[in-house]
Amino acid sequence: MEKERRDRRHRVEEDDRWHHDEKRERRHHRDVDREEDDHRRRHKSSSSRYDKQEDDRRHHKSKEERHDRGHKSSKEEKEKTRSEKRGREQDDDLKKRSRDQEDGSKVEKRSRDQEDESRKDAKRKRDLEKETADKSVSKRSRSEFAEEEKASNVEMNGQTPAQPVVALTPASTPTPAPFSSPAPVPVPAPVPAPAAAPAAVPQTAPVAQEPSPAPEPEVAPVAGDASAIAKAKARMRQLRKELNEKLKKLPLLEQLANENDSANTITPDSVVPSGTVDVVANAANIASYKRAQECVARLGFQQPPGSMALHVPGVPSAGPKVVKHPVLRLDKQGREIDEHGVVVDNRKSNISTLKVNINKQKKDAFQILHPELEEDPINNPHFDADMGMDRTKLVRQRRNSFQFVEEGRWTKKAEIFRLNNRFGAAKAREIRSKQAALAKAKAEGDINPNLIEVTERIFKDDKQHQDPIPHVEWWDFAVLPPQTQSYDEVIDGADVKFKKEKINIYVEHPVPIEPPAEPAPPPPQPLKLTKKEQKKMRTQRRLAREKERQELIRQGKIEPPKAKVKMSNLMSVLGAEATQDPTRMEHEIRTAAAERERAHTDRNLARKLTPAERREKKEKRLFDDQGTLETIVAVFRVSDISHPQTRFKVDINAQENRLTGCAIITDGMTVVIVEGGAKSIKRYTKLMLRRINWSAKEEGSGGNEQGDEEDGNEEKENKCVQVWQGSVARPAFDRFFFQKFHTAGAARKYLSDAGVGHYWDSALHYKEE
Amino acid sequence: MAAEVAKTVALADIPTLHSDGAAAVAKKDEYEVSEASKVAREKHEKDMERILLQRRAAALAVPTSDAAVKEKLRQMGQPVTLFGEREMERRDRLRYLMADEGGDRLPQKQEAKEESVKISAVQKSTFYTEGTADLLRARMEILHFSVPRAADRIARAKRKRENPDEDEEQEIKSVLKSVANFSLDCSEIGDDRPLTGCAFSPDSALLATCGWTGVAKIWSVPDVKKVGALKGHHTERLTDVVFSPDGQNIATASADRTAMVWDLQGNMKMAFKGHLTRLARIAFHPSGAYIGTTSFDKTWRLWDVNTGAEVLLQEGHSRGLYGIAFQCDGSLVASCGMDALTRVWDLRTGRSIMALEGHVKPVLGVDFSKNGYHLATGGEDHTCKIWDLRRKAMLYTIPAHSSLISQVKYEREDGYYLMTASFDNTAKAWSGRDFKPVKTLSGHEGKLTGVDVTSDNQYVVTVAHDRTIKLWSQKNSPADDKEDEEMPDVGEGEQQQHETQELAEMESEKEEQEDDEGEMEPPVQ
């Protein structure tokens, strides 16, 4: 059982691999069998039944012999037994299925079945014979094939891509390939054209014959040299001879084949170490191949027209009965190639990337399943079609929440109706639009509809909200006797009762608390010198250095520097030397000068700041506040910040100066709050108070300029004032942003939530002098 | 041998080495050297050493004065002087000795030691020391003085609130209206140098000012005529001046580390000496028997006016102190200083009952409201903060000025408004209830250093570094309709809405603060 399970697993893999060959085989069957579709199944079942009997027999035998033979099993045998097993299993369930089907139409088809079965038996015999023939071919030495292939490769140089082929399994052997693709083949295929397209030349009468040799190579339409054909012919002859010999030993071979049932070998390749050796499937495989093919065909796999098809030997065909195994060929780069040396792309997947297909897949995967009704109204015998019932509506899901009618919906409808009645449709629409505009203006923005309009404060009610006055202040309570309810209890004329132990002679020394944002003490400053003193110091330093150097030179500790020879002082320095070889001297001088210059530029370059250093220096200049921890806040009040340009300036400068804060925009007033370092705040203050032209008009509003001019006199000038600037311990905001509010109350609330409500108050109450 | 090789290698590393010498050295490693070359090499080494020593010596910082040179030589255990040696030679000798030693490592070590001592001196926990007998007596006196006053105050407040005839809001409104009408009444050059403090007498008839000349002057109100001068005893500039509660005495604080009490005739009655550095502000206890002074020696002290004795020396701040204020009952005192901290002390128990942290920079002005539980502080962070002692929380932050706030003063009678003086050349009046700005007094051309209000709310006086005394009153103000102009530039209806909204906000804020009370640091008891 275990074995069977394993087999099944392998079968799937192999089915896949061999699906190319299956189509061809199916065609064969078409020739053989008259009824094609359901008959095939029957045929299969019957044949498989036969197989099973045989298998069982073999199995027993193999079991007996297994111990003796051990691992000596040949690859053919392995293959055979495996395919047998597969066949058997497949048979089992096919049998079952066919039986089921047969039950229905048993009576009519029985006679035909019998007929078929007899035919099948005959075919099976043929198959067996073929297998043995193939096996014999496979016995040929590998080296022979290798040589042959090499030769053929050389011969067919003109047609084949001369690509080095490392074929692990010998499929592209010069052995007559039964069905080679019409494409140029590396082998001199002695295949007649009809083999390539079996449908074209239907062989209506399958003739039981000996494992037939390859058709006459002369017929091969494939272009090739005469020598190649001759060679192939010779080989064919040899093959035939060998085959005949093998046929004689057939019974023995069968025995051998049976004893091997190791099913875990996937392909004969695994046994073949390397080289171009052709392995022909043994006879026992073929039946199972066939079945597998049928199975695959039933499952609907198509065979590509040019692909290598498994030719089932024993079935009459024009080509030689050589079974082709799936072969793995690799080229030098380790890529898989087919027999033509063309690189096979294995990355192919059957996942379509077309949108249409994806959508279809999705649709299929997530089909909308209507909930099933307990009672199908349509199939109900009492269903009345005249009722106009919609099935889709019936199965619609119930809503899972209430749906309330919005408040005022019906009154609105009624209102519209009334208006329409009174003024007519056109007028009513006009009135309605006016009303809507009015309502929108009234309920502008995010005003909470639940907000109660607050009117002037009534002070009488406010007394309750005032701070309660304690009977005894808590600091007094600490020194007065316990459970003191009021001061009157403890005051007795001029005398006061108190806790004696609280009033003592001791002086407290509480732990001092360090200030929160005290800047670090400044680093020690270098000695400050006047310009004159600096110059004097430098001179002295240089003199001392020079003196020391001269001392060292005098003592011979360092080498004296070379004379600085220039073109101008050439003669005076070198004298006669210069006249001896002026060209060389000039060259020397010039190289020395170049060297000096290069040294000079190098020194200057080394002193230069790197880009990172320069950036750092610039940043330090812009933002360094010498270790102060405090954050400085500036609050500005602007009447109108609607101009996009000014808005942009306010925003971008805050960000570029690394300030945090916010601009609170309300109808009458805008408050800009910025927090940051002292230098940044200084720059930003200058921007707000000096650089921005607050009175600038928006360019787009030129259309109604005349209208503006009239009330422009009343309109007060737009400007910005600094309300306050001071220090805080830590910033209240983490970035700079704009915030628009429709009411001052909302703005105040927002800021007090951020803990800075007093900024708003101060801006609101700020008065200019 | 190995050591020798190491030495030669070390010498070879010197960049200025002669190439021939280097070659010789390299040769030496491999072959036996002749006696002559050995000698030559030794000589070379010696020379190099000498050169290096010279270099080191030239780079050293050697004391210049002969005494310091001798001191240094003594420290090094060298003869202070040799026979016939002059100052320059001595200094050169020291230089080479120091270079030989390898620099002046000795003094650096000493410095490190000092620093470590400093670090270990930081106080870790609260401790108590015994005071004088005077202190105990003073505490008892203060207790007996303060409790009845507190009882009185509470009773008055309750009466006021319960009395239907007394409309406190209306009163505040009228007071604020009058304050909003303040304008410059009189300006007078007060001194030759900047003025630092000013104070009205309790009966509002006199005004005292002090300045950098070290002279305090008494002026009449309202015409600001000089009545008298308190001079002849302070040797340094004055920092503050204050009238006693009975109006009979004037106390002055000075940078010469003393405080003095004078009578109105200009006679010095008592000098209080004890502070280690300059004084800052000075304040009379409401009983008039004690004065409190702050100083930059990180202490504030309580003095007995009658005996001149130092009753209490109180530490507790990490930096110098500046402001001091007594509560109206006389039970509490608040001190603030350069550590951005305000401490409230109970004078009876001597404990620091609250430490008010909230300012970022030094706190210069502090004052108690006359309601007894509000405390206003102003400082270098340009804000004025209002603290509620009953809630033990900060009530509000007024972004008050564009420069530091030098003094904060509550109105004397009920605390309906408070004044802040600032270095931005203005003084401002703020409502004591909702802390809205009421009036800005601008006219000074220098930094304001002091502000005071008369108890009848008729006058405000300010002094500044521009050496002028400015008296502000309602006298010259136009008719009442002016107040409308003072309102900010927002629509009338909107204004109303803003205000009501704000009040609502304030309420909610208060509630929040009450909620937060649990998190507050409990007073040290």
Side-chain angles (χ1 to χ4, degrees):
Chain A
M1 276 315 280
E2 166 78 22
K3 224 178 288 162
E4 276 179 20
R5 224 176 295 134
R6 227 183 312 158
D7 284 349
R8 209 170 292 149
R9 215 183 305 135
H10 289 305
R11 194 177 64 223
V12 178
E13 292 167 14
E14 281 164 7
D15 281 349
D16 234 323
R17 201 176 299 175
W18 293 329
H19 76 279
H20 285 291
D21 307 72
E22 279 155 14
K23 197 177 176 187
R24 266 166 219 285
E25 210 194 357
R26 204 167 63 221
R27 280 192 199 122
H28 252 306
H29 281 288
R30 236 180 264 151
D31 301 340
V32 174
D33 306 333
R34 275 194 300 265
E35 290 99 17
E36 285 175 8
D37 289 325
D38 31 343
H39 187 73
R40 192 188 300 146
R41 209 167 283 151
R42 251 175 286 131
H43 144 74
K44 202 161 220 174
S45 64
S46 55
S47 70
S48 61
R49 230 172 283 148
Y50 168 82
D51 274 359
K52 195 177 182 186
Q53 283 165 10
E54 202 181 55
D55 276 357
D56 287 346
R57 187 162 42 79
R58 282 180 193 170
H59 195 63
H60 285 298
K61 226 187 245 175
S62 67
K63 260 186 181 171
E64 284 162 17
E65 289 175 14
R66 195 184 301 150
H67 294 292
D68 306 340
R69 310 244 165 166
H71 302 286
K72 209 186 142 195
S73 53
S74 73
K75 60 188 171 189
E76 290 94 347
E77 282 161 357
K78 271 185 205 165
E79 183 61 60
K80 196 166 84 184
T81 40
R82 193 176 64 242
S83 52
E84 270 167 18
K85 286 222 170 290
R86 191 175 57 235
R88 203 165 57 215
E89 279 162 26
Q90 212 168 15
D91 285 348
D92 283 346
D93 64 345
L94 279 176
K95 237 184 276 170
K96 218 165 99 193
R97 254 188 249 173
S98 59
R99 234 181 265 140
D100 291 346
Q101 222 173 23
E102 271 168 20
D103 285 342
S105 54
K106 223 174 215 168
V107 190
E108 313 103 73
K109 290 191 176 174
R110 188 162 292 164
S111 57
R112 213 161 50 179
D113 279 1
Q114 279 166 352
E115 217 177 277
D116 281 334
E117 222 155 83
S118 61
R119 200 176 293 135
K120 284 282 130 71
D121 283 353
K123 184 183 168 252
R124 216 166 291 126
K125 256 177 219 158
R126 281 201 310 272
D127 287 354
L128 259 171
E129 285 160 6
K130 183 65 137 266
E131 267 175 24
T132 36
D134 290 345
K135 226 183 284 168
S136 68
V137 174
S138 75
K139 289 287 174 190
R140 274 159 30 108
S141 75
R142 287 164 198 163
S143 55
E144 201 180 327
F145 280 119
E147 271 174 25
E148 277 166 13
E149 196 188 43
K150 234 179 265 169
S152 70
N153 269 343
V154 172
E155 285 157 12
M156 302 303 289
N157 224 359
Q159 290 139 20
T160 51
Q163 196 167 355
V165 175
V166 183
L168 293 182
T169 4
S172 62
T173 52
T175 31
F179 298 103
S180 49
S181 62
V185 217
V187 266
V191 191
V201 188
Q203 300 206 336
T204 44
V207 188
Q209 46 176 251
E210 277 283 307
S212 69
E216 286 303 304
E218 283 88 349
V219 196
V222 183
D225 293 340
S227 63
I229 294 167
K231 199 159 191 179
K233 258 189 214 167
R235 199 163 53 233
M236 202 50 64
R237 244 172 266 131
Q238 196 191 351
L239 272 172
R240 203 176 294 166
K241 211 189 279 172
E242 278 172 9
L243 186 67
N244 287 335
E245 279 171 24
K246 293 282 158 65
L247 263 174
K248 284 166 197 164
K249 297 173 197 167
L250 180 66
L252 189 86
L253 265 169
E254 259 194 25
Q255 246 182 10
L256 278 169
N258 280 337
E259 47 84 17
N260 191 350
D261 62 346
S262 68
N264 46 6
T265 329
I266 299 163
T267 54
D269 314 0
S270 56
V271 190
V272 180
S274 68
T276 56
V277 183
D278 192 1
V279 178
V280 185
N282 51 40
N285 285 343
I286 291 158
S288 52
Y289 285 169
K290 219 160 56 189
R291 281 190 294 276
Q293 283 161 5
E294 273 170 3
C295 186
V296 168
R298 209 172 49 247
L299 288 168
F301 279 99
Q302 289 291 317
Q303 273 183 319
S307 71
M308 280 292 294
L310 176 73
H311 175 70
V312 181
V315 182
S317 84
K321 279 79 193 164
V322 178
V323 178
K324 286 263 172 175
H325 284 270
V327 185
L328 179 65
R329 292 183 200 81
L330 299 174
D331 68 2
K332 267 182 181 169
Q333 279 100 44
R335 292 173 298 185
E336 193 182 342
I337 51 166
D338 61 10
E339 69 270 43
H340 316 305
V342 180
V343 176
V344 176
D345 189 8
N346 279 332
R347 289 169 301 165
K348 262 186 269 165
S349 61
N350 54 355
I351 298 166
S352 172
T353 52
L354 282 178
K355 196 80 179 172
V356 180
N357 295 332
I358 289 167
N359 285 344
K360 191 164 184 302
Q361 273 178 4
K362 273 187 194 162
K363 204 180 168 189
D364 292 345
F366 302 103
Q367 260 185 341
I368 300 158
L369 295 172
H370 293 295
E372 280 180 19
L373 294 175
E374 286 166 26
E375 202 178 345
D376 194 349
I378 309 291
N379 296 340
N380 195 334
H382 306 293
F383 176 68
D384 184 5
D386 297 338
M387 292 281 283
M389 260 180 145
D390 189 357
R391 209 182 125 87
T392 53
K393 273 185 186 167
L394 277 172
V395 298
R396 193 169 59 193
Q397 274 192 325
R398 208 182 293 145
R399 285 200 186 91
N400 53 6
S401 66
F402 291 118
Q403 286 207 319
F404 295 107
V405 174
E406 245 177 80
E407 194 188 325
R409 183 177 161 188
W410 300 118
T411 50
K412 200 175 165 190
K413 228 172 189 178
E415 181 73 19
I416 291 165
F417 184 72
R418 243 174 269 133
L419 280 171
N420 276 350
N421 273 358
R422 204 169 155 195
F423 302 106
K427 190 83 188 290
R429 213 176 297 128
E430 202 176 296
I431 291 168
R432 246 182 292 138
S433 63
K434 261 185 196 169
Q435 277 179 349
L438 207 73
K440 202 180 167 192
K442 215 174 185 180
E444 163 95 292
D446 57 354
I447 296 173
N448 186 355
N450 296 325
L451 205 67
I452 298 163
E453 284 278 328
V454 275
T455 52
E456 199 172 342
R457 199 179 170 90
I458 301 155
F459 291 110
K460 288 281 182 275
D461 297 348
D462 204 50
K463 277 196 172 175
Q464 295 156 9
H465 299 295
Q466 282 177 352
D467 310 339
I469 300 169
H471 299 298
V472 180
E473 299 280 10
W474 61 264
W475 51 88
D476 284 332
F477 189 80
V479 294
L480 297 179
Q483 282 94 44
T484 305
Q485 291 302 316
S486 71
Y487 285 109
D488 300 333
E489 292 174 23
V490 295
I491 297 168
D492 184 16
D495 199 32
V496 176
K497 288 181 222 157
F498 61 94
K499 268 189 212 163
K500 288 250 163 26
E501 70 275 12
K502 281 285 176 187
I503 312 300
N504 52 35
I505 203 166
Y506 295 108
V507 178
E508 190 188 9
H509 298 265
V511 182
I513 298 168
E514 288 294 312
E518 201 185 41
Q525 295 291 309
L527 186 65
K528 295 272 192 284
L529 297 173
T530 62
K531 205 80 192 166
K532 202 174 162 190
E533 283 167 339
Q534 280 174 8
K535 278 180 179 169
K536 192 176 163 191
M537 286 297 286
R538 180 170 175 270
T539 314
Q540 281 177 351
R541 252 199 328 271
R542 290 182 66 219
L543 277 176
R545 208 187 307 130
E546 188 57 29
K547 209 174 153 192
E548 191 190 306
R549 205 167 131 267
Q550 281 171 2
E551 180 71 18
L552 285 172
I553 290 166
R554 198 178 310 127
Q555 288 172 357
K557 303 300 177 201
I558 58 169
E559 229 171 333
K562 266 190 229 162
K564 188 179 176 184
V565 190
K566 292 185 276 189
M567 290 305 283
S568 53
N569 63 7
L570 170 69
M571 289 312 287
S572 59
V573 175
L574 298 173
E577 220 179 315
T579 52
Q580 276 168 7
D581 190 353
T583 316
R584 189 175 65 83
M585 288 323 291
E586 187 188 340
H587 178 69
E588 265 175 27
I589 288 161
R590 286 198 191 282
T591 43
E595 177 71 25
R596 281 198 300 272
E597 197 186 351
R598 206 174 59 243
H600 169 78
T601 52
D602 282 357
R603 274 199 305 276
N604 285 353
L605 267 179
R607 270 203 302 273
K608 232 176 168 182
L609 293 178
T610 63
E613 281 170 337
R614 208 176 308 133
R615 219 176 300 125
E616 202 176 310
K617 189 181 170 189
K618 195 178 176 188
E619 190 163 300
K620 197 179 168 201
R621 187 170 60 79
L622 285 174
F623 297 107
D624 187 34
D625 290 325
Q626 273 126 35
T628 49
L629 297 167
E630 53 167 346
T631 309
I632 295 178
V633 179
V635 181
F636 302 94
R637 191 179 73 190
V638 189
S639 351
D640 181 24
I641 202 167
S642 60
H643 197 296
Q645 202 174 18
T646 54
R647 269 179 78 125
F648 176 78
K649 281 179 188 168
V650 166
D651 189 18
I652 201 73
N653 279 286
Q655 281 167 17
E656 282 179 355
N657 279 310
R658 298 185 194 167
L659 299 169
T660 61
C662 64
I664 302 288
I665 303 166
T666 59
D667 282 344
M669 173 175 86
T670 297
V671 177
V672 179
I673 300 163
V674 283
E675 310 160 316
K679 283 182 176 174
S680 302
I681 290 285
K682 194 176 173 189
R683 280 194 294 272
Y684 198 76
T685 307
K686 278 181 182 168
L687 169 90
M688 293 292 275
L689 301 181
R690 292 191 210 157
R691 284 173 49 203
I692 292 181
N693 177 17
W694 291 102
S695 54
K697 286 274 183 297
E698 212 169 321
E699 277 173 23
S701 65
N704 49 1
E705 223 166 75
Q706 287 189 336
D708 278 351
E709 259 176 51
E710 283 169 18
D711 45 44
N713 301 330
E714 301 160 24
E715 215 175 84
K716 59 184 162 42
E717 198 195 358
N718 184 24
K719 61 178 173 180
C720 174
V721 287
Q722 182 168 23
V723 174
W724 182 69
Q725 180 175 327
S727 318
V728 292
R730 63 192 65 82
F733 303 94
D734 55 356
R735 62 190 181 86
F736 187 84
F737 54 91
F738 280 86
Q739 195 85 31
K740 196 173 166 66
F741 292 100
H742 290 279
T743 60
R748 170 68 165 87
K749 179 80 177 64
Y750 180 81
L751 284 178
S752 62
D753 284 348
V756 288
H758 48 273
Y759 294 162
W760 178 263
D761 296 342
S762 63
L764 190 67
H765 298 296
Y766 182 75
K767 286 170 228 166
E768 284 173 78
E769 278 92 52
Chain B
M1 185 65 195
E4 211 172 85
V5 169
K7 209 170 190 180
T8 53
V9 168
L11 280 170
D13 285 344
I14 295 165
T16 54
L17 205 66
H18 199 288
S19 55
D20 291 354
V25 165
K27 227 184 268 173
K28 202 261 151 197
D29 287 344
E30 290 158 32
Y31 309 107
E32 280 293 309
V33 283
S34 69
E35 200 60 36
S37 72
K38 216 180 231 172
V39 167
R41 201 170 57 76
E42 268 165 19
K43 187 175 170 288
H44 172 77
E45 272 173 29
K46 221 175 256 171
D47 286 346
M48 287 315 296
E49 257 173 42
R50 192 170 50 78
I51 288 158
L52 288 176
L53 182 70
Q54 270 176 0
R55 262 189 211 170
R56 239 186 0 251
L60 273 180
V62 184
T64 41
S65 82
D66 190 42
V69 169
K70 279 179 176 168
E71 176 64 29
K72 190 93 200 233
L73 283 169
R74 194 170 285 127
Q75 266 181 19
M76 293 170 81
Q78 296 290 331
V80 170
T81 183
L82 300 177
F83 179 73
E85 193 180 47
R86 302 298 299 267
E87 287 89 345
M88 282 304 287
E89 291 150 355
R90 200 173 296 130
R91 186 157 177 260
D92 274 350
R93 185 159 61 89
L94 177 65
R95 179 186 292 281
Y96 279 99
L97 281 169
M98 279 166 72
D100 244 357
E101 235 180 34
D104 46 350
R105 260 173 272 140
L106 205 64
Q108 277 177 5
K109 264 185 200 167
Q110 277 176 343
E111 273 173 17
K113 230 181 230 173
E114 277 166 25
E115 211 150 281
S116 68
V117 167
K118 244 185 211 171
I119 287 163
S120 66
V122 171
Q123 189 185 334
K124 289 283 185 332
S125 64
T126 305
F127 67 93
Y128 298 88
T129 54
E130 218 168 281
T132 57
D134 280 351
L135 176 62
L136 188 61
R137 193 170 40 77
R139 280 176 177 175
M140 295 298 272
E141 261 178 38
I142 289 169
L143 173 80
H144 284 92
F145 175 79
S146 67
V147 173
R149 270 176 80 100
D152 205 32
R153 178 173 57 84
I154 294 284
R156 191 149 35 90
K158 278 184 177 167
R159 212 165 45 237
K160 213 169 195 175
R161 190 167 289 184
E162 279 148 20
N163 188 357
D165 296 336
E166 290 219 39
D167 193 343
E168 201 180 351
E169 291 292 336
Q170 210 56 48
E171 209 180 315
I172 292 176
K173 234 180 173 181
S174 68
V175 168
L176 293 187
K177 202 185 227 176
S178 67
V179 172
N181 286 337
F182 270 145
S183 61
L184 186 62
D185 186 353
C186 177
S187 183
E188 182 69 43
I189 303 274
D191 213 336
D192 300 333
R193 299 196 67 196
L195 299 175
T196 51
C198 59
F200 279 117
S201 68
D203 59 358
S204 312
L206 294 174
L207 167 69
T209 61
C210 63
W212 284 10
T213 50
V215 176
K217 287 176 182 171
I218 304 170
W219 308 80
S220 68
V221 176
D223 47 0
V224 195
K225 289 271 185 296
K226 195 174 138 188
V227 176
L230 317 176
K231 57 180 177 187
H233 294 282
H234 280 300
T235 55
E236 281 261 18
R237 65 184 191 271
L238 298 184
T239 54
D240 200 14
V241 64
V242 69
F243 268 95
S244 72
D246 59 2
Q248 297 308 307
N249 295 320
I250 294 172
T252 53
S254 166
D256 64 2
R257 295 177 287 175
T258 60
M260 283 175 190
V261 170
W262 313 69
D263 64 10
L264 296 179
Q265 282 69 49
N267 305 317
M268 200 267 280
K269 287 170 77 178
M270 194 70 72
F272 307 98
K273 288 180 184 168
H275 275 295
L276 303 175
T277 54
R278 69 181 194 267
L279 271 63
R281 295 289 184 197
I282 189 166
F284 259 102
H285 187 262
S287 69
Y290 306 97
I291 54 169
T293 55
T294 53
S295 164
F296 281 79
D297 61 3
K298 304 183 192 174
T299 64
W300 66 267
R301 299 182 197 214
L302 195 68
W303 310 87
D304 191 320
V305 173
N306 300 316
T307 64
E310 182 191 290
V311 177
L312 174 67
L313 185 156
Q314 187 65 64
E315 291 181 335
H317 286 268
S318 60
R319 300 287 185 278
L321 265 75
Y322 199 83
I324 188 166
F326 287 95
Q327 194 224 16
C328 53
D329 297 344
S331 52
L332 305 179
V333 64
S335 64
C336 60
M338 303 300 157
D339 54 357
L341 182 74
T342 309
R343 274 193 190 277
V344 181
W345 310 82
D346 191 327
L347 281 169
R348 288 86 47 95
T349 59
R351 306 287 178 89
S352 163
I353 57 168
M354 281 172 86
L356 310 174
E357 287 178 277
H359 280 285
V360 187
K361 294 180 116 184
V363 190
L364 303 178
V366 62
D367 199 19
F368 273 99
S369 166
K370 295 300 171 283
N371 67 17
Y373 64 98
H374 277 177
L375 179 71
T377 56
E380 286 187 16
D381 55 4
H382 309 178
T383 60
C384 176
K385 287 181 191 284
I386 315 295
W387 310 82
D388 190 325
L389 295 191
R390 285 184 185 157
R391 285 190 188 137
K392 302 169 190 168
M394 191 179 77
L395 200 60
Y396 194 75
T397 302
I398 309 173
H401 287 274
S402 52
S403 188
L404 69 83
I405 296 169
S406 53
Q407 198 165 28
V408 179
K409 273 273 163 70
Y410 262 102
E411 177 254 310
R412 288 198 189 187
E413 208 54 49
D414 297 290
Y416 286 158
Y417 64 94
L418 74 147
M419 300 294 306
T420 54
S422 166
F423 274 20
D424 65 359
N425 302 356
T426 62
K428 283 181 182 174
W430 308 85
S431 161
R433 176 61 58 91
D434 52 15
F435 312 110
K436 273 193 269 182
V438 178
K439 178 72 185 171
T440 303
L441 307 177
S442 54
H444 274 289
E445 287 162 359
K447 301 163 180 172
L448 267 73
T449 50
V451 63
D452 201 11
V453 189
T454 57
S455 41
D456 57 4
N457 286 332
Q458 291 300 307
Y459 297 102
V460 169
V461 68
T462 53
V463 292
H465 279 188
D466 63 3
R467 301 171 295 154
T468 59
I469 307 163
K470 288 198 195 305
L471 199 67
W472 310 80
S473 75
Q474 303 180 60
K475 269 183 196 165
N476 299 340
S477 70
D480 283 0
D481 56 356
K482 198 195 170 188
E483 71 177 296
D484 290 344
E485 284 175 25
E486 304 292 344
M487 291 302 166
D489 307 323
V490 277
E492 194 61 39
E494 215 175 354
Q495 164 76 18
Q496 202 70 266
Q497 199 185 349
H498 284 324
E499 282 172 14
T500 45
Q501 189 73 36
E502 271 162 40
L503 287 167
E505 293 295 333
M506 295 262 302
E507 290 293 333
S508 70
E509 254 182 27
K510 280 176 190 172
E511 276 160 28
E512 277 168 26
Q513 277 166 356
E514 262 174 349
D515 290 343
D516 292 343
E517 217 171 284
E519 293 164 23
M520 277 290 291
E521 184 192 11
V524 185
Q525 282 295 324

